[in-house]
Amino acid sequence: AQSVTQLGSHVSVSEGALVLLRCNYSSSVPPYLFWYVQYPNQGLQLLLKYTSAATLVKGINGFEAEFKKSETSFHLTKPSAHMSDAAEYFCAVSVTGNQFYFGTGTSLTVIP
Amino acid sequence: GAVVSQHPSWVICKSGTSVKIECRSLDFQATTMFWYRQFPKQSLMLMATSNEGSKATYEQGVEKDKFLINHASLTLSTLTVTSAHPEDSSFYICSATSGAGTDTQYFGPGTRLTVL
């Protein structure tokens, strides 16, 4: 079975500071890993995905994530937070590429 | 590309009535569509997976007779909440993939259902 754990349901950073959102996964086979962002009352937008190619994945809006098999992690980072980054972020794991299992989400607050 | 729409975006209904939510892939053929439910401040819970032309596969604990899913074409899936009750109030989100083994799901904007 696959699962995802997101440590920290709420993260606050100052504008311009580093953003680090943590995601650890559990999977018996090599997984696909994803980060999605959700703004209030909207659907999910794909930020980036790992599909067994390069372990450092660059996404939209300056976000990137590194797949670390030894740590079973896929943490999301951005060097400098912007006010518009405030949103809910979800990490997801998939094995087949079809069924996704989502983490509980991390709410990012950016402080001016 | 890869746009998924949902209709309606917001619906309010009386307890006991049925509500149909549509999910459409606008610029690609979606062989597989998924329906999720999201409670406030919580994650997405997969309700069911539907493949075009076949019966939906429901996740454990999801009542198939209450949440009717139809995937009649490659661009349209519908979720009907039958005999809705206040506890069915939630944010329903659909997603779609364009083929078996395709690694990305594209999500619709969601439908907010409020049952009075």
Side-chain angles (χ1 to χ4, degrees), chain A residues 6 10 32 34 36 38 41-46 49 51 88 90 94 96-105 107, chain B residues 32 34 36 38 41-44 46 49 59 91 93 97 99-110 112:
Chain A
Q6 289 184 242
H10 298 276
Y32 297 136
F34 305 80
Y36 285 88
Q38 184 182 34
N41 296 310
Q42 295 187 26
L44 275 66
Q45 180 181 5
L46 179 66
K49 60 183 179 182
T51 57
E88 190 82 16
F90 292 97
S94 173
T96 64
N98 279 339
Q99 285 191 310
F100 279 37
Y101 298 91
F102 286 85
T104 51
S107 178
Chain B
T32 306
F34 306 84
Y36 295 85
Q38 185 181 33
K41 305 296 184 182
Q42 294 188 28
S43 187
L44 281 72
L46 179 65
T49 302
E59 294 297 299
F91 195 50
I93 303 175
T97 62
T102 304
D103 56 21
T104 301
Q105 288 191 17
Y106 300 96
F107 286 81
R112 170 99 30 217

Side-chain angles (χ1 to χ4, degrees), chain B residues 5-17:
Chain B
S5 70
Q6 281 184 243
H7 177 80
S9 57
W10 189 23
V11 57
I12 301 174
C13 70
K14 292 183 178 180
S15 185
T17 61

